[in-house]
Amino acid sequence: MPLIGVTGRRRPAKGLHTGPSSLDRLTLEVYFTGYADRITAAGGLPVHLPASLDPDTVADRLDGLVLTGGSDIDPTLYGSDAVPAEPP
């Protein structure tokens, strides 16, 4: 069964849970279930990747990766130059 990494997003817990207010100060890793459902249906095993994880620690263990979107990735991380944003 192939292991497929799935990225998520970090969100403040406040307003996203129904537990006690003491949980409000925590941060959640949020993943959309549709990605995991489709990976599973295709015969893979979804592996949720926390934002704090160093990709180098798992890259060799994964058979695939789903980047679910979110903030822009710094182009210098993949050897490219930033392109200035076009005016609206």
Side-chain angles (χ1 to χ4, degrees):
M1 177 178 293
L3 298 177
I4 309 298
V6 182
T7 61
R9 292 172 174 76
R10 286 201 166 179
R11 296 287 184 258
K14 186 174 183 176
L16 296 179
H17 67 88
T18 58
S21 61
S22 60
L23 298 176
D24 286 349
R25 60 182 164 70
L26 299 176
T27 301
L28 301 174
E29 293 277 352
V30 181
Y31 302 91
F32 292 102
T33 59
Y35 292 109
D37 292 345
R38 283 165 183 80
I39 291 167
T40 302
L45 178 64
V47 178
H48 294 230
L49 304 173
S52 61
L53 182 71
D54 178 356
D56 289 335
T57 63
V58 296
D60 290 340
R61 297 179 179 189
L62 297 175
D63 298 299
L65 178 64
V66 176
L67 299 172
T68 62
S71 301
D72 269 350
I73 297 171
D74 184 348
T76 61
L77 294 173
Y78 52 86
S80 205
D81 295 324
V83 177
E86 293 183 30

